[in-house]
Amino acid sequence: MATLSAALQCLHITSPQPARLAEFYATTYGMTSTEQGGVWRCTAPEREVAFSAGPVNQLRCALFRFETVAAWAAFQRRVSALEKVALPADCGLAADALAVRDPDGNLIAFEKPAAAVDEGGMRASRAGLPAQLQHFAFRTQQIARMLAFYEDVLGFVVSDKVVDTDGGLRACFLRVNTLHHALALFNAPVTCYDHQSFEAPDWARLQQWADRMGSLKTPIVWGVGRHGPGNDVFFMVRDPDGNLAEISSEIEACAEDRPAGEWPHEERTLNLWGQAIMRS
C-alpha cells in the first residue's frame, strides 16, 4: 500500500515543569533551547521537541511534513470532509497547515513540503552526534478505535501488529513513508504519551550515544536491545517527567507491497535480546 510520503518534524509535549524538561533534552541530546511565550523549543539538525506548561505525560501536538506537493494535495483531498481543528498559536504551525484530533484527543498536524530542502542529510549537533526525530508512541485505552482513525481516516500504513493469544490487539506500528513506523500505539490501562525516538544513522553512532549517556550519568532504563517489529537496535532513558526517550538505529525500510506482520504479545517481541517494558 502506498504511504503518505510524509515525515515527522516536531513534537510538542506538555509538562508541569517545561523548563526542566527543555534543559534535560538540550543537555542530553545536544540541542539548543530557546523560550518564547511560555514555549521552550529544543532544536538540532533533523530534530525538534517543544515543551509548554500543562498535564504531565501528554502530547500537545505532533507535526508531520509532506515530502512532495503531490502527496500534500492527495492528503488534502483525503481529509477534505474531516472536521479540522483551529491551529493553536503556541504550536508554531504554518497558516495553511491542517490539524485534526484523534479519538484520544491528541492534536495531529500536517503541513506542505518545505520551500527549501536541506540536502546535507543528518549533521552533527552540539553533542557532535547526528540523530533524526523519527517516531513517537501513545498508550491508549481504545487501541482499535485509534488504529482505525490513523489507518482508515488519515492513511497511515500498518507495518506490524502485536496480538495476544485470543487475537486481541495489544500494539501496532504504522508508517507514513518507507521507514517501519512513525507512530506506535500500545494498549494500556492509561491514556498518555509514551516516547519519542531519535534515529541514529548507524550502529556505531548508537554506541556513541550510549557512551554519551554514560558520561552524563543518565541511566539507560531499557536496552541496549533489538525490537522485533522494526528490527531496530535501541536504548531508552527517562526524562524528568518519566517519559521514555529512545535512540535507535537500523530501523527496517519497508517495500510498498510489504504485508502487515503479526507478532505474539510477549517480551521477546519488544526486545529480541532480553527483557522489555510491557505497557499491559
Side-chain angles (χ1 to χ4, degrees), residues 217-232:
K217 298 182 180 180
T218 301
I220 292 176
V221 299
W222 184 16
V224 174
R226 184 182 289 278
H227 293 309
N231 199 41
D232 46 325

Side-chain angles (χ1 to χ4, degrees), residues 24 57 120 131 142 261:
F24 172 84
N57 309 134
Q142 49 177 352

Side-chain angles (χ1 to χ4, degrees), residues 25-101:
Y25 280 86
T27 300
T28 306
Y29 295 103
M31 305 169 84
T32 299
S33 178
T34 59
E35 186 274 334
Q36 183 176 2
V39 177
W40 285 258
R41 294 191 180 278
C42 292
T43 59
E46 307 287 348
R47 56 189 185 271
E48 179 177 348
V49 185
F51 308 94
S52 61
V56 70
N57 309 134
Q58 296 297 324
L59 184 79
R60 172 73 168 141
C61 181
L63 174 64
F64 290 88
R65 179 179 296 154
F66 282 85
E67 297 168 355
T68 68
V69 172
W72 168 241
F75 181 75
Q76 289 178 296
R77 292 192 296 270
R78 181 184 185 97
V79 300
S80 59
L82 196 64
E83 181 181 358
K84 311 304 187 300
V85 177
L87 302 176
D90 64 352
C91 289
L93 302 175
D96 57 353
L98 295 176
V100 297
R101 289 199 183 275

